[in-house]
């Protein structure tokens, strides 16, 4: 695999318009993931600004609780934008979600402090996170469906890596900004106003993504669906009947997702913040370690995507799941108070996490017919992420800093990974499936 491999999904497109479309998908996806990453990255700084600074532990727990509240909104976003994507087009859903995410980021960036307006500052943060939750609940299924339908069937696993590849670039940009600002600004200035800069930048990125996505073409699969189903019911009731009719596939999405989402958010998103707050590692060093480990993740993604196109989706998912379940405890024990321990533990886990993350967008899309593909993925996926991924950072902090029993959370993560492995074992092999119907 050469150094240019990660960008190959976009390069494979024969027409310049197709390449621009894939770039637009990646940019918008990166902007939304960036918004979520910087919330976790800068939580130690703005928690004391938007909540009562007299109780630092309560402030960080409240900040992480609102992080989880954002996930609660995701199922509603999956429902609404899944309906939009299946009834009015994948492109329309993707354009609306990136616009909402930009609004949420701007609200956080300009939010008044607790000292200035009291609890209204906390309320505004809650509103912004709910907006972003709705947007992200619709973004992932819409962009995953769009990309899967655009990809050649023999390369769909490889193309699917664009979702987490672009999203990880957004995460890394957030971590990089955190490391740079932590190095350039004194802690007092970072806490006072420096944390606002990444959120304002996120709003600008979202605006750019909005412009790019407005120019995208619609997928052929949706155009064929629209042409062949002019009299099909368009309401929410019809959508719910379609979801119920495909409840087995919806349950498979939930089972596949619950282990991956907890392990992913623990190691890819929250690990540097956890190391800085709970293990007292220097915040700047923790952010740099997280940045380096995510480079390893980027390298691993296209490898797993290509492999799934050759040997099938199920073997790759099983390898990734078993690796995560087997190594979570050892890598947690390795992580102590050293920046190198943080990097090594994150990198090892992210290699195996990449197996599931790389091809999950393709597998999700391959489970459903075109008429319910966006909502069929979006609703159960958002429910799983809300219930398990959204609460992971809070539970980890709670069991570590309050209950003083971190092993309980680690056991919880491993059990969920095992459940996901068992679900994958019962999945049909979907490599190369025709998505036109």
């Amino acid at each position: 695999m050469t150094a240019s491999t990660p960008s190959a999904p976009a390069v494979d497109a024969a027409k310049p318009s197709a390449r621009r479309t894939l770039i637009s998908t990646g940019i918008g996806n990166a902007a939304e993931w960036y918004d979520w990453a910087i919330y976790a990255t800068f939580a130690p700084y703005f928690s004391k600004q938007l909540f009562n600074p007299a109780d630092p532990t309560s402030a960080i727990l409240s900040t992480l609780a609102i992080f989880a509240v954002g996930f609660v909104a995701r199922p509603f976003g999956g429902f609404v934008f899944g309906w939009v994507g299946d009834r009015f087009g994948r492109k329309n859903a993707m354009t609306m979600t990136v616009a909402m995410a930009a609004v949420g980021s701007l609200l956080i960036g300009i939010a008044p402090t607790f000292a200035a307006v009291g609890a209204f500052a906390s309320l505004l943060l809650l509103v912004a996170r709910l907006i972003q939750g709705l947007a992200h609940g619709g973004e992932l299924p819409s962009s995953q469906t769009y990309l899967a339908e655009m990809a050649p069937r023999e390369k769909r696993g490889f193309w699917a890596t664009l979702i987490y590849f672009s999203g990880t670039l957004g995460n890394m940009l957030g971590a990089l900004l955190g490391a740079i600002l932590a190095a350039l600004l004194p802690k007092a200035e970072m806490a006072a106003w420096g944390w606002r800069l990444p959120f304002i930048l996120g709003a600008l990125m979202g605006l750019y993504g909005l412009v790019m996505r407005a120019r995208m073409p619609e997928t052929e699969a949706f155009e064929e669906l629209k042409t062949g189903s002019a009299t099909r019911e368009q309401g929410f009731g019809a959508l719910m009947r379609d979801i119920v009719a495909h409840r087995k596939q919806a349950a498979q999405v939930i089972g596949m997702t619950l282990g991956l989402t907890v392990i992913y958010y623990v190691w890819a998103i929250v690990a540097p913040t956890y190391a800085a707050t709970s293990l007292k590692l220097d915040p700047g060093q923790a952010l740099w370690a997280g940045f380096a480990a995510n480079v390893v993740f980027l390298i691993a993604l296209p490898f797993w995507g290509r492999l799934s196109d050759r040997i099938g989706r199920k073997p790759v998912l099983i390898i990734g799941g078993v690796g995560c379940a087997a190594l979570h405890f050892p890598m947690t024990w390795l992580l102590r108070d050293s920046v190198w321990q943080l990097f090594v533990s994150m990198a090892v886990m992210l290699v195996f996490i990449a197996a599931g993350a790389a091809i999950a967008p393709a597998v999700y899309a391959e489970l459903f017919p075109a008429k319910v593909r966006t909502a069929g993925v979006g609703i159960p996926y958002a429910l799983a992420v809300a219930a398990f991924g959204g609460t992971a950072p809070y539970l980890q902090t709670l069991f570590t800093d309050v209950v003083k029993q971190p092993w309980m959370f680690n056991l919880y993560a491993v059990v969920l990974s095992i459940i996901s492995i068992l679900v994958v074992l019962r999945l049909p092999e979907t490599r190369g499936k025709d998505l036109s119907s």
Side-chain angles (χ1 to χ4, degrees):
M1 187 167 56
T2 65
S4 62
T5 297
S7 60
V11 176
D12 282 344
K15 299 180 180 179
S17 60
R19 288 197 295 270
R20 287 195 299 269
T21 296
L22 293 174
I23 292 171
S24 299
T25 303
I27 289 176
N29 192 51
E32 294 218 26
W33 285 52
Y34 165 89
D35 290 339
W36 287 71
I38 58 175
Y39 188 97
T41 298
F42 290 90
Y45 298 105
F46 69 78
S47 61
K48 297 177 185 178
Q49 293 289 311
L50 303 183
F51 291 91
N52 188 352
D55 189 350
T57 300
S58 176
I60 189 64
L61 284 174
S62 298
T63 304
L64 292 176
I66 288 184
F67 183 80
V69 167
F71 281 82
V72 173
R74 291 175 66 143
F76 298 98
F79 182 87
V80 172
F81 291 108
W83 175 71
V84 171
D86 286 333
R87 299 303 190 263
F88 303 104
R90 314 337 185 184
K91 167 190 169 180
N92 289 330
M94 293 167 65
T95 303
M96 294 169 67
T97 60
V98 76
M100 288 183 63
V103 170
S105 187
L106 180 62
L107 287 176
I108 298 175
I110 63 174
T113 65
F114 186 91
V117 297
F120 179 75
S122 307
L123 176 62
L124 187 61
L125 177 65
L126 175 63
V127 170
R129 289 299 296 164
L130 287 173
I131 292 173
Q132 289 185 323
L134 289 169
H136 208 62
E139 164 63 21
L140 275 178
S142 300
S143 60
Q144 287 174 167
T145 299
Y146 182 86
L147 189 63
E149 291 179 348
M150 291 287 289
R153 70 172 69 183
E154 70 277 4
K155 296 183 179 180
R156 191 179 296 131
F158 184 46
W159 278 43
T161 65
L162 177 66
I163 296 298
Y164 272 84
F165 191 90
S166 61
T168 301
L169 288 179
N171 288 340
M172 291 173 66
L173 177 58
L176 180 62
L177 280 177
I180 291 175
L181 290 175
L184 294 179
L185 296 177
K187 289 186 178 180
E189 293 188 27
M190 185 72 165
W193 59 269
W195 62 269
R196 296 181 182 274
L197 299 178
F199 289 99
I200 294 174
L201 177 61
L204 295 176
M205 289 174 58
L207 178 61
Y208 180 67
L210 172 64
V211 173
M212 293 286 289
R213 287 187 169 184
R215 301 173 179 175
M216 292 191 310
E218 187 53 81
T219 69
E220 291 185 7
F222 177 77
E223 292 293 351
E224 293 176 3
L225 177 67
K226 183 174 63 175
T227 302
S229 46
T231 61
R232 188 161 59 94
E233 293 182 79
Q234 302 291 308
F236 286 113
L239 173 61
M240 290 309 301
R241 286 192 290 273
D242 285 339
I243 295 295
V244 171
H246 296 87
R247 55 189 176 276
K248 178 181 178 180
Q249 293 93 325
Q252 289 170 333
V253 170
I254 292 174
M256 228 183 100
T257 303
L258 57 86
L260 179 62
T261 189
V262 171
I263 293 291
Y264 177 81
Y265 278 100
V266 167
W267 288 104
I269 304 296
V270 183
T273 301
Y274 168 77
T277 57
S278 297
L279 302 179
K280 309 305 179 186
L281 196 65
D282 178 77
Q285 291 183 344
L287 291 173
W288 278 116
F291 182 87
N294 273 281
V295 173
V296 176
F297 184 63
L298 289 178
I299 295 171
L301 284 168
F303 165 78
W304 292 115
R306 279 191 181 277
L307 186 63
S308 79
D309 286 328
R310 294 176 182 174
I311 69 173
R313 312 294 191 227
K314 288 180 65 173
V316 171
L317 291 173
I318 292 169
I319 292 170
V322 170
C324 289
L327 292 172
H328 180 74
F329 266 106
M331 291 303 103
T332 300
W333 292 331
L334 173 65
L335 178 55
R336 289 295 179 262
D337 57 357
S338 165
V339 65
W340 290 107
Q341 290 172 326
L342 175 60
F343 166 73
V344 171
S345 59
M346 285 186 66
V348 169
M349 290 301 297
L350 284 172
V351 166
F352 288 96
I353 291 169
I359 65 172
V363 178
Y364 293 147
E366 289 164 345
L367 288 174
F368 290 89
K371 68 175 183 177
V372 69
R373 187 165 291 140
T374 310
V377 173
I379 296 173
Y381 177 83
L383 285 170
V385 172
F388 298 98
T391 57
Y394 183 83
L395 289 176
Q396 185 181 38
T397 302
L398 180 66
F399 281 114
T400 300
D401 294 344
V402 180
V403 181
K404 306 296 183 183
Q405 299 292 337
W407 66 268
M408 296 175 65
F409 175 80
N410 293 324
L411 179 62
Y412 165 77
V414 171
V415 169
L416 292 182
S417 295
I418 293 173
I419 292 173
S420 289
I421 294 170
L422 296 176
V423 171
V424 169
L425 288 172
R426 297 181 64 83
L427 286 178
E429 179 55 64
T430 56
R431 174 172 60 116
K433 183 178 179 180
D434 182 10
L435 297 185
S436 62
S437 60

